[in-house]
């Protein structure tokens, strides 16, 4: 099952395993791409994944989540993406560009602006970054930015685009009943809250034409209350499913199922809450956000930090990390006829094969287990059910990347700390010095 | 005033060449070691670093002293600064030196080793190497006391990096021997608590830096420029009233004499036994910026609760900033180290450079004419006005919008591109952002547009 091709609209993906959007702060602060990003993606192209979904690529500087990620915010960025696409294609791997506007959801503050754009004026609840409710004109501008970015991806000969509509990004901030507090045509009933995301898909479709793969990533379970108990739940399952039907009608070629109305969230990345790591590297929690005293207590001070760790893993009490979103993707598949891929801890061939056979999904997307084992697909090809040293879902990778190169930081998976560091820094190997590149 | 008309005539003392034993610099202005996190995490250099350094060469500086350049991965102060810790880094420095020279300046690489003092932790190592096993007093980073074998290894790392600098055809080397990094950790009696031949008497505390100088000379020969940057005084009490005073000026004069005997061609005078210190960078303590971006103070150091109170909690933080700034005001900013440099210059026969807030041509010219220093090195005022030397050349005494010593530049660099973050110096926030981001574009300097 795993090694059968998958059709995402006009795009044929060579197998059922896609690298999910994951990438470190490898680029320049101004959003220009570097050879390090190319190295990073090539690592997965070489090892046989069906397709790569890029790191989140901001469609505008104000829509970036964290500095150091390559943007797709102007035509100047096209040559970089073309180069990246060409190099990945040399390994027979399609490349889907993930388009992001983060709105109020950020991981670090930015030099270029103070307030994030959002559906609401309410600050983001975890770090407290301020937000500003978008005017109707700003909404139209951002919709057009998505379309322009998709057109650039097409010009760069990439194979498709995916709208980052999940995990608390700007489209979630509109879609979620737990966040959107507008009273205009973009707030209130589901139809209105869905308007922004659907307009993005239609505008992209208009820009790229019918023969180009357009996907949409959506959090089916938002469950904001699972992160902080005083928050509302967010959309119901039925509301999310309705949105999926509308996305299909609007022209999406595939849906990518995730979870969580914000990031991070106990369901994404599901697993441990590495408090010791977080206080050191995830700066918004302590130094640069607004809720620093609460966060100082919650994350740094015993017993509060232990209590939060207990709270964080609560949703996992009756679920496995691997396949945590399979129930939701099954529900989505029942209401749409386009392919559905799903993320959430996948790293066992038998689990993936069974999910596809049962019709829970058409393919899976993988981030953390591929950070740990970039050659996971090769292991599956050789008949292994799992990599010899699987991902432990410790989440150290996703919380270290703010200050360190994105990599697996679970020392238990390595023979020594030195080996772990070699592996972490290997993404820089073979990066050319400016003199050689010139 | 056009540059043709005056051509530096207004400040002849500044625009005369400075002759070291092995190097001639076209004027008396040096860019001090300063730069942002422009490179890759593994210490490989990027085009952004080249653009950053070339900017100052285009602005008319006589020589660029590089950012602190680790001689060993375990000596990095903050990630994303290019290293000179292996031979494969040489081609980058060949290119960097070439491009800076083409733009009209000499290039001196500053070889550094952090020891127990860092700006943020790195995955590359947990514990710093130091003379002592006591953590640094500000962040509380842990460290281990170097064994004799480790001392020999690091001496050799400095020597090998020096060899690479020569192989890359750079114009000279500066040893980073000040401001609380590894060499200060040996020199300072406020830090060094060893009982072996590297601790105790001044002679013993100076052993490590002198070994570094001699080992470098052995690799690079006698005909390559080598200068040493030293904190003339530790001034421990200026940081914390309970700290030890540390190295005195008399002791530093003796060390400087030994350094010259060992083969140093020039001395560069700074002060302070840790970084940051009210003497360096002298000026304001920008609380809001510290909290937002200088992570070790809050998130990644060990003294986080004390620092949370000290920096983040009113009124404690206001009190801390007030005290810091009062001490800084008392010390003065522009030329803060000049009398120290003068005292050292009287005792040695190599050129002496002086760091510390210089940005007025008249102050600099007087410093040189009065024998206080042979040249000055500039950090923050050049970040604000990269073309300051060109402005002096055109007859200006100061830039129209001088550096305010707000220190926001040196604090913001941890998370944002190094640049001038004093919004009052710009007509708008947007202009400030453009100025800061220009390092990524190779944008022309204001004086080049005119």
């Amino acid at each position: 099952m795993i090694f059968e091709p998958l059709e995402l609209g006009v795009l044929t993906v060579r197998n059922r395993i896609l690298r999910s959007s994951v990438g470190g702060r490898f680029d320049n602060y101004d959003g220009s791409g570097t050879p390090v990003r190319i190295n990073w993606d090539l690592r997965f192209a070489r090892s046989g994944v069906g397709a790569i979904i890029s790191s989140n690529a901001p469609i505008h500087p104000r829509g970036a989540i964290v500095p150091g990620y390559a943007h797709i915010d102007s035509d100047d960025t096209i040559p970089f993406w073309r180069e990246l696409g060409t190099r990945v294609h040399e390994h027979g791997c399609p490349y889907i560009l993930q388009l992001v506007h983060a709105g109020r959801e950020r991981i670090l503050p930015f030099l270029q602006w103070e307030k994030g754009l959002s559906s609401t004026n309410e600050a983001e609840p975890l770090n407290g970054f301020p937000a500003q409710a978008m005017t109707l004109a700003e909404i139209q501008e951002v919709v057009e930015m998505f379309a322009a970015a998709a057109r650039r991806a097409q010009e760069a000969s990439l194979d498709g685009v995916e709208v980052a509509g999940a995990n608390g990004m700007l489209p979630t901030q509109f879609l979620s009943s737990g966040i959107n507090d507008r009273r205009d045509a973009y707030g209130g009933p589901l139809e209105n809250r869905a308007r922004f995301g659907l307009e993005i898909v239609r505008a992209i479709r208009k820009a790229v034409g019918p023969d180009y793969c357009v996907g949409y990533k959506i959090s089916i379970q938002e469950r904001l209350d699972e992160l902080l108990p005083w928050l509302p739940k967010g959309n119901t399952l039925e509301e999310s499913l309705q949105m999926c039907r509308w996305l299909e009608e609007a022209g999406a070629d595939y849906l990518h199922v995730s979870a969580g109305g914000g990031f991070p969230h106990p369901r994404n990345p599901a697993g441990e809450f590495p408090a010791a790591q977080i206080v050191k590297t995830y700066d918004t929690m302590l130094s640069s956000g607004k809720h620093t005293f609460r966060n100082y207590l919650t994350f740094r001070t015993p017993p509060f930090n232990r209590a939060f760790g207990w709270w964080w893993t609560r949703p996992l009490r009756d679920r496995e990390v691997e396949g945590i979103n399979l129930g939701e993707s099954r529900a989505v598949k029942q209401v749409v006829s386009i392919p559905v891929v799903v993320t959430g801890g996948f790293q066992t061939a038998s689990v993936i094969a069974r999910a596809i056979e049962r019709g829970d999904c058409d393919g899976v997307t993988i981030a953390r287990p591929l950070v740990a084992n970039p050659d996971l697909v090769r292991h599956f090809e050789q008949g292994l059910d799992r990599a010899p040293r699987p991902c432990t879902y410790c989440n150290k990778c996703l919380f270290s990347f703010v200050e360190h190169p994105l990599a697996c930081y679970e020392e238990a998976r390595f023979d020594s700390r030195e080996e772990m560091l070699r592996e972490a820094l290997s993404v820089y190997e073979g990066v050319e010095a400016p003199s050689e590149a010139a | 005033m056009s540059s043709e008309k005056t051509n530096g005539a207004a400040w002849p003392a500044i625009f005369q060449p400075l002759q070291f034993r092995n190097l001639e610099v076209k004027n008396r202005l040096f860019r001090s070691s300063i730069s942002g996190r422009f490179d890759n995490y593994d210490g490989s250099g990027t085009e952004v670093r080249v653009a950053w350094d070339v900017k100052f060469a285009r602005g008319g500086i006589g020589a660029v002293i590089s950012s602190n350049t680790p001689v060993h991965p375990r000596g990095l102060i903050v990630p994303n600064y290019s290293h000179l810790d292996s031979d494969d880094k040489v081609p980058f420095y060949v290119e960097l030196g070439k491009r800076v020279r083409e733009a009209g300046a000499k290039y001196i690489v500053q070889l550094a080793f952090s020891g127990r003092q860092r700006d943020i932790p790195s995955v590359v190592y947990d514990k710093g190497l130091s003379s002592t096993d006591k953590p640094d007093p500000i962040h509380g980073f842990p460290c281990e006391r170097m064994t004799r074998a480790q001392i020999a290894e690091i001496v050799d790392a400095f020597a090998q990096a020096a060899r690479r600098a020569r192989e890359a055809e750079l114009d000279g080397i500066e040893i980073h021997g000040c401001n609380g990094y590894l060499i200060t950790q040996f020199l300072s009696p406020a830090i060094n608590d060893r009982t072996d031949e590297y601790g105790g008497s001044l002679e013993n505390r100076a052993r490590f830096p002198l070994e570094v100088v001699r080992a470098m000379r052995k690799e690079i020969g006698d005909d390559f420029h080598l200068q040493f940057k030293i904190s003339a005084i530790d001034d421990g009490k200026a940081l914390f009233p309970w700290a030890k005073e540390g190295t005195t000026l008399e002791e530093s004069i003796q060390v400087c004499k030994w350094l010259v005997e060992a083969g140093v061609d020039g001395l560069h005078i700074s002060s302070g036994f840790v970084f940051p210190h009210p003497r360096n960078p002298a000026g304001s303590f920008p609380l809001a910026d510290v909290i937002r971006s200088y992570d070790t103070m809050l998130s990644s150091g060990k003294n986080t609760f004390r620092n949370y109170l000290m920096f983040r909690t009113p009124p404690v933080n206001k009190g801390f900033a007030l005290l810091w700034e009062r001490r800084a005001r008392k010390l003065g900013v522009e030329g803060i180290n000049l009398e120290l440099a003068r005292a050292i210059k009287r005792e040695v026969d190599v050129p002496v450079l002086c760091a510390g807030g210089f940005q007025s041509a008249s102050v600099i010219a007087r410093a040189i004419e009065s024998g206080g220093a042979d040249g000055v090195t500039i950090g923050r005022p050049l970040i604000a006005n990269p073309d300051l030397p060109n402005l002096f050349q055109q007859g200006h005494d100061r830039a129209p919008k001088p550096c305010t010593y707000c220190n926001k530049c040196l604090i913001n660099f941890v998370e944002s591109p190094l640049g001038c973050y004093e919004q009052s110096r710009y007509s708008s926030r947007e202009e400030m952002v453009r100025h800061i981001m220009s390092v990524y574009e190779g944008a022309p300097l204001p004086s080049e547009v005119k």
Side-chain angles (χ1 to χ4, degrees), chain A residues 111 287 292 296 300 404 417, chain B residues 41 123 299 304 308 312 429:
Chain A
L111 164 62
S287 56
T292 60
Y296 195 95
R300 183 121 210 172
H404 306 311
R417 187 174 161 78
Chain B
Y41 198 97
V123 288
S299 55
T304 59
Y308 196 95
R312 183 119 213 174
R429 186 175 160 83

Side-chain angles (χ1 to χ4, degrees), chain A residues 105-361:
Chain A
E105 187 82 45
R106 286 183 242 162
I107 289 177
L108 280 180
F110 276 82
L111 164 62
Q112 292 98 319
W113 75 88
E114 309 271 359
K115 285 189 169 186
L117 294 174
S118 186
S119 65
T120 173
N121 286 316
E122 295 293 315
E124 178 277 329
L126 186 62
N127 305 309
F129 284 122
Q132 165 186 336
M134 291 159 81
T135 63
L136 293 180
E138 282 170 332
I139 291 175
Q140 284 323 304
E141 253 176 72
V142 171
V143 168
E144 283 315 309
M145 285 172 196
F146 270 101
R151 192 249 315 147
R152 290 180 198 119
Q154 198 176 27
E155 276 178 35
S157 303
L158 305 181
D159 303 288
V161 292
E162 173 176 292
V163 177
N167 312 125
M169 298 299 127
L170 187 58
T172 311
Q173 291 159 39
F174 275 86
L175 186 60
S176 175
S177 63
I179 301 173
N180 185 335
D181 56 3
R182 303 178 74 93
R183 291 162 183 214
D184 61 6
Y186 291 88
L190 178 66
E191 204 182 338
N192 284 357
R193 301 196 314 270
R195 196 178 306 277
F196 178 64
L198 295 173
E199 283 182 351
I200 290 171
V201 172
R202 287 192 206 102
I204 289 177
R205 182 54 78 201
K206 207 169 138 197
V208 298
D211 297 326
Y212 197 66
C213 171
V214 178
Y216 195 98
K217 189 171 187 182
I218 181 169
S219 288
I220 299 298
Q221 295 282 7
E222 294 184 343
R223 292 306 303 266
L224 299 164
D225 59 316
E226 284 180 350
L227 177 65
L228 299 170
W230 55 86
L231 295 177
K233 278 192 165 72
N235 289 345
T236 63
L237 177 65
E238 193 34 57
E239 286 176 310
S240 297
L241 295 177
Q242 180 56 49
M243 179 63 177
C244 292
R245 290 189 196 98
W246 285 336
L247 285 166
E248 179 175 11
E249 285 168 27
D253 291 317
Y254 75 92
L255 294 172
H256 183 176
V257 170
S258 185
F263 187 87
H265 186 278
R267 293 173 187 248
N268 179 57
E272 287 169 45
F273 190 79
Q277 191 88 38
I278 285 168
V279 293
K280 282 192 198 146
T281 57
Y282 211 72
D283 295 314
T284 38
M285 301 261 193
L286 282 184
S287 56
S288 40
K290 302 280 171 199
H291 297 150
T292 60
F293 189 69
R294 185 198 74 198
N295 288 353
Y296 195 95
L297 285 179
T298 312
F299 302 128
R300 183 121 210 172
T301 318
F304 301 103
N305 55 4
R306 295 224 178 81
F308 187 80
W310 170 85
W311 170 257
W312 172 270
T313 49
R314 233 170 43 124
L316 298 175
R317 223 136 289 162
D318 51 356
R319 291 182 200 86
E320 292 290 326
V321 173
E322 182 160 11
I324 185 167
N325 299 315
L326 271 176
E328 284 74 22
S329 76
R330 182 184 316 131
V332 172
K333 262 196 81 64
Q334 283 160 6
V335 300
V336 299
S337 55
I338 50 177
V340 175
V341 295
V342 60
T343 194
F346 290 103
Q347 62 174 335
T348 312
S350 55
V351 173
I352 299 168
R354 208 176 319 123
I356 298 169
E357 277 160 21
R358 264 202 319 251
D360 292 350
C361 63

Side-chain angles (χ1 to χ4, degrees), chain B residues 10-259:
Chain B
W11 313 111
I14 295 176
F15 290 97
Q16 55 184 333
L18 177 55
Q19 186 67 51
F20 293 93
R21 191 163 64 103
N22 292 312
L23 173 69
E24 185 181 287
V25 175
K26 68 179 176 186
N27 60 40
R28 302 304 179 97
L29 304 172
F30 293 68
R31 195 208 66 188
S32 206
S33 172
I34 195 157
S35 93
R37 300 179 61 187
F38 295 132
D39 301 306
N40 291 319
Y41 198 97
D42 69 336
S44 52
T46 70
E47 188 62 42
V48 187
R49 161 107 20 226
V50 178
W52 173 258
D53 283 339
V54 164
K55 170 155 75 166
F56 301 96
R58 279 160 46 209
I61 205 80
V64 171
I65 301 172
S66 78
S67 63
N68 69 75
T69 307
V71 300
H72 188 280
R74 202 167 167 180
L76 71 89
I77 294 169
V78 56
N80 303 91
Y81 277 49
S82 62
H83 297 6
L84 199 45
D85 60 342
S86 62
D87 288 355
D88 59 0
K89 307 289 197 329
V90 171
F92 172 71
Y93 280 91
V94 171
E95 173 72 8
L96 179 52
K98 197 178 85 194
R99 300 266 293 275
V100 168
R101 263 194 303 277
E102 280 167 7
K106 298 286 204 264
Y107 198 80
I108 297 170
V109 65
Q110 188 192 59
L111 300 180
F113 197 100
S114 56
R116 67 175 189 172
Q117 181 170 288
R118 286 179 260 174
D119 291 326
I120 59 169
S122 125
V123 288
V124 178
Y125 63 99
D126 279 334
K127 282 190 166 190
L129 295 174
S130 185
S131 63
T132 174
D133 53 13
K134 295 201 182 65
D136 87 279
I138 297 181
H139 312 312
F141 284 126
C143 64
E144 68 183 71
R145 190 189 305 276
M146 288 163 84
T147 62
R148 285 196 184 85
Q150 283 170 322
I151 290 175
E153 190 193 334
I154 301 310
V155 167
D156 186 58
F158 269 104
Q160 296 310 316
R163 168 183 58 77
R164 290 176 201 118
R166 179 158 195 155
E167 280 171 15
E169 296 167 351
L170 303 179
D171 298 298
I173 294 165
E174 173 169 288
I175 298 171
H176 191 353
C178 61
N179 306 134
Y181 298 100
L182 183 61
I183 289 178
T184 310
Q185 290 158 35
F186 275 89
L187 279 175
S188 172
I191 302 173
N192 185 336
D193 57 0
R194 302 177 75 92
T195 51
D196 63 3
E197 68 271 29
Y198 290 94
S201 66
L202 181 64
E203 204 180 342
N204 281 357
R205 284 181 275 124
R207 193 176 305 279
F208 174 64
L210 291 169
E211 285 180 353
V212 168
V213 171
R214 289 194 201 101
M216 281 189 177
R217 272 291 172 221
K218 228 167 153 179
E219 287 291 336
I220 60 176
D222 202 35
D223 58 350
F224 193 74
H225 178 68
L226 176 60
Q227 65 187 49
F228 192 99
K229 188 173 186 184
I230 186 167
S231 286
I233 51 172
D234 281 354
D235 204 358
K237 293 204 183 303
L239 179 71
F240 295 127
W242 59 86
K244 290 186 195 138
E245 198 56 56
T247 303
T248 63
L249 178 60
E250 289 65 39
E251 288 178 310
S252 290
I253 289 173
Q254 181 57 59
V255 172
C256 288
K257 287 181 182 164
W258 287 334
L259 287 166

Side-chain angles (χ1 to χ4, degrees), chain A residues 361-406:
Chain A
C361 63
D362 298 289
V364 299
T365 73
I366 307 181
R368 294 168 294 169
L370 277 173
V371 172
N373 293 291
D375 49 357
L376 188 60
V377 175
R378 297 282 180 239
H379 289 306
F380 292 168
E381 280 170 357
Q382 287 159 18
L384 289 184
D385 192 32
R386 292 194 115 186
R389 289 179 171 180
C391 170
T392 64
Y393 309 114
C394 72
N395 280 331
K396 288 177 191 160
C397 53
L398 296 189
F399 287 100
S400 292
F401 90 101
V402 178
E403 289 196 352
H404 306 311
L406 180 65

